Amino acid sequence: MMPKPHGGKLVDRHIKRKPSEVADLPKFEINTNLAEDIENIAKGVFSPLEGFLCKNDLENVIKEKRLENGTPWTIPILLDFDKKEIKDLKEGDQILLTNTETGVHSILDIDEIYTFDKKTLAQSVYGTQDTNHPGVANVNNMKQFLLGGKITLLESKTREFDEYNLTPKETRFLFKEKGWKEIVAFQTRNPPHIGHEYVQKTALTFVDGIFINPIIGKKKKGDFTDNVILAAYETLMKYYYLKERAVMSILRTSMKYAGPREAIHHAIMRKNFGCTHFIIGRDHAGIGNYYGPYNAHMIFQEFPDLGITPVFFKSFFRCTKCDAVVNEKICPHEEKYHINFSGKKIRELLMNGEIPPENMMRKEVSETILKFDKPFVE
Ligand SMILES: [Zn+2]
């Protein structure tokens, strides 16, 4: 059965109002990551959060990986301001939060203004204080004060890929309409190679449908562009998936690279979309060597009450002896028979305008990617 939203109720704090109605409130321009947090709160992706965390919740998330009321929550959603910005603000005030890029216009009801310790936050969420870790660097760049309180989204503008941007309310409706009771979610930031396809199809064998949910947004140089990822999946689904078994929708949120903690966060978001299962691969949401390859599997033992079932996968590879795509749980043969699906190698070939071998990436998918003039972020 489709799970209840996290915390029991799907949050909906999107109330359409003309910004002119609230024009007299003090206005603050925020960055795009925060604007996307606001959209995710308002549309229920971050249910049960109704706003940015207050101090008690933050301390519980740091220490217990749960909100103050005991609900599992691992990634703090925070709004930071500096001293100058808050000098005329007090608890109980209302302010406007706006962002030009997303057109987000929203109201914050300030519940609490408080300070926090950056080292404690970085150490607990990322397991390190090394400033080379992009998440730690972000924490260090945060301003000194935090504002906690409920937000109300008034409007945001239409943007590229909106046709792929379903809200939890919409995905839940769609899954129900399709008659899906068990749905497995797959998160991605890359076009699919054969290894990804096998992970997805192996999981799909046991449920009713697959929800392919790429994270869209800020990328680093050399990454595939969002356009390419979506087009590559469209092609894969067209030629290699049953139409009634697969749905793709995007998720606009920043990657934190918080490894295990982020794996829980990713699972919670997919539960809110209505999924019963979530695929966790090797080093999920990891970066560099900060986390063990299967730490993001083990952390789920701490959350028997999560309400979505993790599906753990070891990497798939091709075995020439088995003459099949396998993983270490099902293939007994020596390494000399194994060919890994190297995302790096596939990318190198594509960068040179070459089609990767068909036993690495579907020909139709490679051709779709090569149709783009600039498939990579520059
Ligand atoms: Zn084998």
Side-chain angles (χ1 to χ4, degrees):
M1 221 179 73
M2 204 186 290
K4 280 196 174 142
H6 197 52
K9 185 177 130 262
L10 199 62
V11 169
D12 182 2
R13 298 192 63 81
H14 187 199
I15 298 166
K16 281 192 180 132
R17 273 168 75 185
K18 286 204 189 84
S20 59
E21 292 175 47
V22 290
D24 54 336
L25 293 177
K27 193 166 125 181
F28 296 88
E29 176 77 11
I30 53 168
N31 67 41
T32 298
N33 284 348
L34 287 171
E36 287 175 347
D37 283 346
I38 289 175
E39 289 187 298
N40 285 330
I41 292 166
K43 293 174 181 177
V45 179
F46 288 170
S47 297
L49 298 196
E50 295 184 299
F52 291 100
L53 294 189
C54 287
K55 190 170 185 158
N56 282 351
D57 275 332
L58 173 59
E59 284 181 352
N60 258 275
V61 169
I62 285 174
K63 284 193 202 116
E64 313 289 340
K65 307 189 184 95
R66 288 169 187 270
L67 299 172
E68 197 185 10
N69 69 10
T71 306
W73 197 271
T74 50
I75 298 289
I77 306 298
L78 303 171
L79 176 64
D80 58 318
F81 271 57
D82 63 30
K83 200 171 181 178
K84 210 170 110 199
E85 289 172 306
I86 60 153
K87 72 177 178 7
D88 296 324
L89 301 179
K90 57 184 189 309
E91 289 165 10
D93 284 354
Q94 276 195 331
I95 57 171
L96 259 186
L97 301 174
T98 62
N99 172 259
T100 311
E101 191 181 338
T102 57
V104 160
H105 257 85
S106 59
I107 297 173
L108 172 74
D109 285 280
I110 304 174
D111 268 345
E112 199 175 6
I113 302 175
Y114 63 104
T115 56
F116 68 112
D117 181 57
K118 290 184 178 181
K119 281 187 178 151
T120 310
L121 180 64
Q123 185 66 45
S124 66
V125 175
Y126 301 102
T128 175
Q129 292 175 32
D130 181 355
T131 50
N132 292 316
H133 186 296
V136 177
N138 282 340
V139 169
N140 284 336
N141 287 331
M142 280 173 76
K143 298 164 186 170
Q144 194 183 349
F145 288 88
L146 297 175
L147 268 57
K150 289 186 186 178
I151 63 96
T152 309
L153 178 64
L154 308 178
E155 64 165 14
S156 56
K157 68 182 178 195
T158 44
R159 275 174 276 163
E160 200 179 11
F161 313 126
D162 269 355
E163 67 275 26
Y164 289 105
N165 192 20
L166 301 177
T167 65
K169 205 170 158 185
E170 289 165 337
T171 52
R172 284 170 171 270
F173 181 82
L174 182 66
F175 297 160
K176 210 171 159 187
E177 205 182 46
K178 287 180 170 294
W180 292 358
K181 291 190 174 63
E182 292 195 302
I183 302 110
V184 66
F186 182 81
Q187 120 119 29
T188 184
R189 288 175 286 145
N190 279 301
H193 58 51
I194 302 278
H196 298 130
E197 186 182 330
Y198 265 80
V199 166
Q200 292 169 18
K201 287 184 169 173
T202 305
L204 179 54
T205 307
F206 297 96
V207 295
D208 302 311
I210 183 154
F211 179 57
I212 297 165
N213 196 205
I215 287 190
I216 290 296
K218 215 170 149 189
K219 296 222 149 54
K220 47 185 198 300
K221 199 180 157 195
D223 285 350
F224 288 97
T225 65
D226 294 335
N227 265 321
V228 165
I229 296 166
L230 294 171
Y233 263 103
E234 284 287 3
T235 298
L236 185 73
M237 288 163 70
K238 183 175 167 193
Y239 292 105
Y240 294 97
Y241 283 70
L242 291 165
K243 202 166 183 273
E244 64 272 24
R245 294 286 177 201
V247 162
M248 177 167 69
S249 171
I250 60 165
L251 176 58
R252 287 195 181 109
T253 194
S254 61
M255 278 300 297
K256 315 283 188 292
Y257 305 103
R261 273 192 183 241
E262 196 167 12
I264 298 293
H265 182 62
H266 283 169
I268 289 171
M269 289 190 281
R270 278 47 182 239
K271 176 186 174 188
N272 284 328
F273 281 113
C275 301
T276 52
H277 295 76
F278 181 55
I279 293 169
I280 312 278
R282 190 182 181 281
D283 199 23
H284 186 99
I287 190 163
N289 294 316
Y290 290 99
Y291 313 107
Y294 297 106
N295 287 11
H297 291 187
M298 288 179 306
I299 192 173
F300 281 84
Q301 291 170 11
E302 298 174 44
F303 299 95
D305 55 341
L306 196 62
I308 179 166
T309 307
V311 188
F312 301 130
F313 275 99
K314 306 238 159 153
S315 298
F316 277 79
F317 47 84
R318 189 173 288 280
C319 173
T320 51
K321 186 89 173 161
C322 290
D323 192 21
V325 177
V326 294
N327 60 39
E328 63 184 51
K329 282 173 90 175
I330 52 177
C331 162
H333 305 119
E334 292 166 62
E335 216 164 296
K336 65 176 180 185
Y337 298 107
H338 296 169
I339 306 167
N340 290 316
F341 299 107
S342 160
K344 195 169 160 242
K345 182 150 185 237
I346 291 171
R347 190 160 52 215
E348 276 169 15
L349 288 166
L350 290 166
M351 273 189 166
N352 293 327
E354 290 171 45
I355 298 259
E358 276 188 67
N359 60 13
M360 290 281 138
M361 182 174 258
R362 298 287 188 188
K363 188 163 157 263
E364 294 89 341
V365 172
S366 306
E367 285 171 353
T368 298
I369 295 169
L370 288 176
K371 270 185 203 148
F372 285 84
D373 283 342
K374 292 173 179 173
F376 301 98
V377 175
E378 291 177 355

